[in-house]
Amino acid sequence: MNAADLGLPVDVPSTALFTDQYELTMLQAALRGGTADRRSVFEVFTRRLPEGRRYGVVAGTGRVLDAVENFRFDAGVLGFLRERGIVDEPTLEWLADYRFGGDIWGYPEGEVYFPGSPILRVEGSFGECVLLETVILSILNHDSAIAAAASRMSSAAGGRRLIEMGARRTHELSAVASARAAYVGGFDSTSDLAAGFRYGIPTVGTSAHAFTLLHDTERDAFRAQVESLGRGTTLLVDTYDVTEAVRTAVEVAGPELGAVRIDSGDLLLVAHRVRQQLDELGARDTRIIVTSDLDEYAIASLAAAPVDAYGVGTQLVTGSGHPTCSMVYKLVARAESADPRAPLRPVAKKSLGAKMSIGGRKWAARRLDADGAAEAEVVGTGPVPPELTDRQLLVELVKGGEIVAREPLEAARERHIAARAGLPMSATQLSRGEPVIPTEYV
C-alpha cells in the first residue's frame, strides 16, 4: 500500500539531480566503454555504528522507493545537463529514457541493523544502479540517524508519550523527513504540519510564550486559549511564575484542564512541585508535558518525575550527536560481459585502512539463542544454512523496476518495536558500548 492508497498527497518532484556529478560522468564513460549494461550488484552497509551505539535502525526505506520511482530526467533536467556540458549527447539520450528496471532487496523499514548488515541490495545494469547511489545514501543516512536517536529516546521514556518538535531546528524539508523517521523510531506525534499532511503522522500543538506575552495578564491568555481550544488544551505555565500560573490555569479551566507544559528550569524539581500542586487543586488528571533541549539522557534522568510526555527538538533532528550513519553504497559483484547469462563475479575495494569491504552478493539472517533473543547477525554469500532459512532479513522491495513492498508507516513503527524487543536487554542501555550482537561472516 502506498501513500496514495491511504489518501495522502504524494506530489514528489523528479529526484534525478539529487546526485553527485561523478555518477553521470561514470555513466558516460561506461556507455562509451561498453560496460554500462553489465549486470551489477550494489549494497548499502556501514562498517561501524556511531561511537557508543549498540544498534542501528533502518529508516527511510519508503522514501527511497519514492525517490527511485521519481528518478526521471525530464526536459528541464536534461537542458540543465546540456547547458553545463556535464555529459555528452549520447548520454543525454540514454538518460531521457531512464527508468530503473532492476531489483532492490533490503531490510524492511523499522528493522535494526549492525556493522556489515547488507541494509539494501540494488541489482540491475551498472548504468541504472550507479545513478541511484547518492539519493539512496542521502535518505538512509539521514533518516536512520534520526530513527536511532528516536529509538533511544523511546526506550528512555519508558512508555511515556513523545512529541517530535524539531522543525525550527533544521532545514524545512529535512524537518518533514525527521518527523517521519522519529515516528518509525517510537515517537507518537509531531508538531510539523507538513509531516502530518504528507505521511499521516498525528500532529499536536497549542501555544508558545508569545501568546501569553501578547495579553495584558496571564489569566487573560489562559482564558482566551481555553475558550478557543477547550478545557482539554495544554497551557504553558513557565512564562512568569510557575506556581502562580498553575493556580491560574486550574481556576480558568477547572480540574478538567488537559495538560500543563514546562519549558525551563530544573525540570525534575519543577515537575514534582507542579504535580503536587495540581493534585491539591483537584486537577489529578491534568497531565504534565516537559520540553527544553531534551535528549535521551535528560529523558532518562526524569524517569522518577511525574511527567506524562516529552517534547524533543534539536537533539532529535540532529541524531543526538550523530547526524549520519556513515552508510556506503558499494559495488560488490558484476558480470564479465553484458550477456545476461554471464555469471556474477565478486568484487571489492582493497584498502590498508578501515575502508575494506567484502565482495559478493550477500544475504543476512539473525540467529537467536535458546531464549529467543538475537545473538548474532549472520552475513554470507553462499548457500543459506538450513537453520537460518526462516530468519533471513532482506525482503524484496522492487522487482523488475516495479515497487512491490510499499506499506503504511504504522507497519514500520510496529516492526521497530518488535525488532528492538528481540534484542538482548542491554541494547537499551544508554551507556556507551559495543554493538549488542556481533556480525558473523560465513
Side-chain angles (χ1 to χ4, degrees):
M1 180 179 292
N2 61 28
D5 295 329
L6 297 173
L8 302 176
V10 288
D11 185 14
V12 180
S14 168
T15 54
L17 292 185
F18 292 168
T19 189
D20 291 303
Q21 182 167 315
Y22 77 173
E23 315 292 5
L24 299 186
T25 54
M26 281 193 288
L27 170 65
Q28 177 177 309
L31 288 170
R32 182 169 296 186
T35 54
D37 289 334
R38 287 189 177 183
R39 190 159 58 100
S40 301
V41 179
F42 287 82
E43 288 178 353
V44 174
F45 63 93
T46 185
R47 297 183 176 94
R48 66 192 67 82
L49 297 179
E51 184 180 359
R53 295 287 174 87
R54 297 170 184 262
Y55 63 93
V57 181
V58 178
T61 308
R63 296 208 308 121
V64 166
L65 297 181
D66 289 340
V68 170
E69 187 174 57
N70 290 282
F71 206 91
R72 304 282 187 268
F73 292 83
D74 58 28
V77 170
L78 293 171
F80 165 78
L81 298 175
R82 180 178 290 108
E83 178 185 344
R84 295 291 183 93
I86 292 173
V87 291
D88 59 19
E89 283 299 323
T91 305
L92 290 172
E93 292 175 7
W94 190 94
L95 292 173
D97 295 326
Y98 180 86
R99 299 289 187 275
F100 179 74
D103 303 327
I104 300 179
W105 290 69
Y107 281 38
E109 191 159 17
E111 183 57 84
V112 296
Y113 70 87
F114 299 91
S117 296
I119 296 165
L120 201 73
R121 190 175 71 220
V122 182
E123 305 182 30
S125 70
F126 176 84
E128 65 182 338
C129 294
V130 74
L131 293 181
L132 300 177
E133 174 180 5
T134 302
V135 70
I136 286 176
L137 289 179
S138 176
I139 293 171
L140 292 181
N141 268 314
H142 173 271
D143 290 22
S144 297
I146 306 307
S151 179
R152 287 163 59 85
M153 294 174 188
S154 175
S155 293
R160 296 171 177 176
R161 298 186 70 79
L162 289 162
I163 306 164
E164 185 281 316
M165 46 195 306
R168 64 190 60 193
R169 305 302 187 199
T170 187
H171 186 278
E172 67 272 18
L173 297 182
S174 68
V176 181
S178 294
R180 183 186 184 280
Y183 192 68
V184 171
F187 273 59
D188 300 284
S189 57
T190 179
S191 66
D192 189 78
L193 291 177
F197 180 69
R198 181 174 293 278
Y199 298 116
I201 301 170
T203 58
V204 297
T206 51
S207 68
H209 293 290
F211 186 76
T212 300
L213 296 170
L214 170 67
H215 293 80
D216 295 335
T217 68
E218 197 167 43
R219 181 179 297 273
D220 290 341
F222 288 172
R223 182 181 295 111
Q225 183 174 327
V226 170
E227 289 177 353
S228 174
L229 302 178
R231 297 178 185 273
T233 191
T234 299
L235 296 177
L236 182 58
V237 295
D238 71 328
T239 305
Y240 305 118
D241 179 84
V242 173
T243 301
E244 182 61 30
V246 171
R247 181 181 300 109
T248 302
V250 177
E251 288 176 357
V252 170
E256 298 85 7
L257 174 62
V260 295
R261 179 162 75 94
I262 306 166
D263 188 52
S264 59
D266 184 335
L267 297 179
L268 179 61
L269 176 62
V270 175
H272 276 288
R273 288 178 175 174
V274 168
R275 181 73 273 159
Q276 181 179 353
Q277 185 181 9
L278 287 170
D279 291 347
E280 290 173 350
L281 293 171
R284 295 183 177 277
D285 295 328
T286 298
R287 294 171 293 113
I288 297 175
I289 301 171
V290 297
T291 53
S292 184
D293 293 327
L294 299 178
D295 61 10
E296 60 266 49
Y297 302 104
I299 291 171
S301 73
L302 292 168
V307 172
D308 299 285
Y310 307 93
V312 190
T314 303
Q315 291 301 318
L316 177 60
V317 299
T318 56
S320 196
H322 298 289
T324 181
C325 301
S326 299
M327 294 178 186
V328 295
Y329 183 96
K330 296 297 182 183
L331 181 66
V332 297
R334 54 91 172 168
E336 296 186 355
S337 72
D339 187 338
R341 297 168 297 180
L344 288 172
R345 170 186 171 186
V347 295
K349 172 184 176 179
K350 293 183 179 180
S351 174
L352 298 177
K355 289 192 172 183
M356 289 188 64
S357 56
I358 298 174
R361 181 178 184 272
K362 299 176 192 66
W363 52 265
R366 192 161 297 146
R367 191 172 67 238
L368 307 182
D369 63 17
D371 296 321
E375 66 175 9
E377 192 89 338
V378 184
V379 178
T381 57
V384 181
E387 66 273 16
L388 294 177
T389 300
D390 294 334
R391 300 298 308 168
Q392 294 188 74
L393 294 163
L394 280 81
V395 299
E396 193 169 30
L397 302 171
V398 178
K399 182 176 183 179
E402 298 295 325
I403 296 172
V404 296
R406 274 204 173 96
E407 61 182 6
L409 191 58
E410 196 68 36
R413 174 182 168 84
E414 293 173 357
R415 180 180 296 114
H416 177 62
I417 294 172
R420 188 176 64 192
L423 297 176
M425 291 184 64
S426 58
T428 57
Q429 291 179 342
L430 296 182
S431 58
R432 293 182 179 274
E434 297 299 314
V436 71
I437 61 174
T439 302
E440 300 178 359
Y441 295 96
V442 297

